[in-house]
Amino acid sequence: MSDPEHTKGTAPRTDDGPGNFVDDLVRDDLAAGLNGGRLMTRFPPEPNGYLHLGHAKSITLNFGLAQRHGGVCNLRFDDTNPATEEVEYVESIKADVRWLGYEFGERLYFASDYFEQLYAWAEKLIGEGRAYVDSQDLEAIRAGRGDFHRPGVNSPFRDRSVAENLDLFRRMRAGEFPDGAHVLRAKIDMASKDLNLRDPLMYRIRHATHHRTGDKWCIYPMYDWAHGESDAIEGVTHSICTLEFINHRGLYEWFLEAIGVEQRPKQIEFGKLNLSYTVLSKRRMKELVEGGHVSGWDDPRMPTLAAVRRRGFTPEALRAFCERVGVSKRDGVADVTLLEHAVREDLNARSPRVMGVLRPLKVIIENLPEGEVIWFDAAVHPEHPELGTRRVPFSRELFIEREDFMEDPPKKFFRLSVGREVRLRYACFITCTGVEKDPATGEVTALRCTWDPATKGGDSPDGRKVKGTLHWVSAAHAVDAEVRLYDRLFKVEDPMEVPEGGSWKDHLNTESLTVLKGCKLEPSLSGAAPGERFQFERMGYFCADTRDSSAGALVFNRTIGLADSWAKMVAANKVG
């Protein structure tokens, strides 16, 4: 029940982030020489769905503790329910952990690796009179457990002999009984104030093919029985789990004591991550997928790690967010604007700048000859001159954003209108001289403009100033793309706060996805690889879709806009 591949001793902190109470407890244990000064944590997901943002906090906590203190962290799948588990989920979880920046190497385990040992320990408890086969149905078992006000009632099968219990349990394993015919229960105390100690279930019959063991087993251990024992087998020193398991700690320790574990893992509970405007329940997310409210588990509006990765979030941003949220002893709700701030902050530092026009309006430069092309240099990143420049073409016909022109502008509109001069970023000054309209609808279809050759590069030699600077794309060189604009999936801060007679799905944001076709991008984006991220100047941060984008058919997802609500609140001293 130990692992020789651990690193002994306490390592100094290697991060610059704030500590937390779990980190402090671990440091104290290591300093005191607990478990011989070694540290082993684990991340134990169930392979019955995709990981979400809440799991990111647990992953960063468990793997981060091991990294900071010279320990190791295991990835162990709690694969004890074959009816809901699939290889697809196993592979997606492995990919998510690696994407977040953590490598488990050969430290990949499954609860199913320990089924024989768990079974042997179960027979040991039966032989000691500490477990029995109960033939009641689950409804009767639940009723018999009582509640906080009423003690439980002993099962009529609680006093079966050891021989009878062993015979029935072995026949359960052999597949002689249908699902639900019997269960194995620990014999503890039906009057205990801790409801989890009222003869909890250890095994149930389930005739289902397991994704790893096939049809070898038809009885499967319950989570509470498999979890602590798997920790013990691997030599886990600190079992870090979310707060709902604090009520299971007594049972966790009872099972470890019953099988005779000398060096028991220490269970430490922390508050799980919840986010405003977000639903992190697997059951609720499954309803969204199966109900067609989203396109799948990796729909960029979903809070799964697969979805945010597809949307363009970076692992660095998520790790920074988890660090800022911190680790507490109480459940709470983190403001989603803090997550958005972390994403913007990271993308701002790393994203190359490009120009893309999402709702194009044609501009004709009347005093530039047809066929003439002028190339301007534009910075790849304004804060990283070492990245150099990119070349952007300027020609007679351009595209600007439709919202950057108004025929009858209000007083504080500083973009383009008839008779007004503006700057085209990196290029020159242009003045609008007239418009072309659709005779049937009156809609503006093109702008007539002139450019000032003396302003090449975007500055005026005579010192005149313009208040508006627009992004633009040369029509002859533009790359066509589909752009998907994503917004929050829910309209309200707490989607689970539902008025009487309503549904949580009534809070879905019907405008959470806008698909724009015929967008025009600068030519440097023609070879954008799936997953590549950019800042579209003035428009936000975008990522080439990893599922649908290709060299011949570009599709970009807007990761997030440029406006930063959290930064504004910090500046106003409304948050810390």
Side-chain angles (χ1 to χ4, degrees), residues 20 29 49 92 161 163 180 183 222 264 300 322 405 451 524 544:
N20 59 69
D29 287 343
S92 73
S161 67
V183 296
M222 303 298 292
R264 301 176 195 170
C322 291
F405 173 80
W451 78 297
S524 67

Side-chain angles (χ1 to χ4, degrees), residues 43-45 50-63 93 96-97 99-100 102 240-245 270-276 278-282 285 302-308 313 318-319 321-323 325-327 331-334 336 339:
F43 173 60
Y50 288 85
L51 298 186
H52 54 65
L53 293 169
H55 293 112
K57 180 177 179 179
S58 181
I59 294 169
T60 56
L61 177 58
N62 279 287
F63 281 90
I93 291 169
D96 286 342
V97 173
W99 175 73
L100 271 174
Y102 301 105
I240 317 297
C241 54
T242 48
L243 204 58
E244 68 263 32
F245 291 101
F270 68 95
K272 66 167 59 176
L273 173 65
N274 293 295
L275 274 174
S276 60
T278 309
V279 167
L280 293 178
S281 158
K282 280 186 181 180
M285 288 191 287
M302 290 282 278
T304 62
L305 297 187
V308 299
F313 285 28
L318 280 189
R319 294 199 302 268
F321 167 68
C322 291
E323 190 72 47
V325 167
V327 181
D331 286 335
V333 179
V336 73
L339 171 61

Side-chain angles (χ1 to χ4, degrees), residues 176-196:
E176 293 187 23
F177 306 111
D179 291 4
H182 307 287
V183 296
L184 183 70
R185 298 177 71 177
K187 186 185 288 186
I188 306 181
D189 181 3
M190 291 301 291
S192 174
K193 292 182 179 179
D194 183 346
L195 270 63
N196 288 305

Side-chain angles (χ1 to χ4, degrees), residues 525-539:
L525 286 168
S526 60
E532 201 169 356
R533 304 176 185 92
F534 303 89
Q535 185 197 95
F536 288 10
E537 299 197 38
R538 298 180 64 227
M539 303 304 291

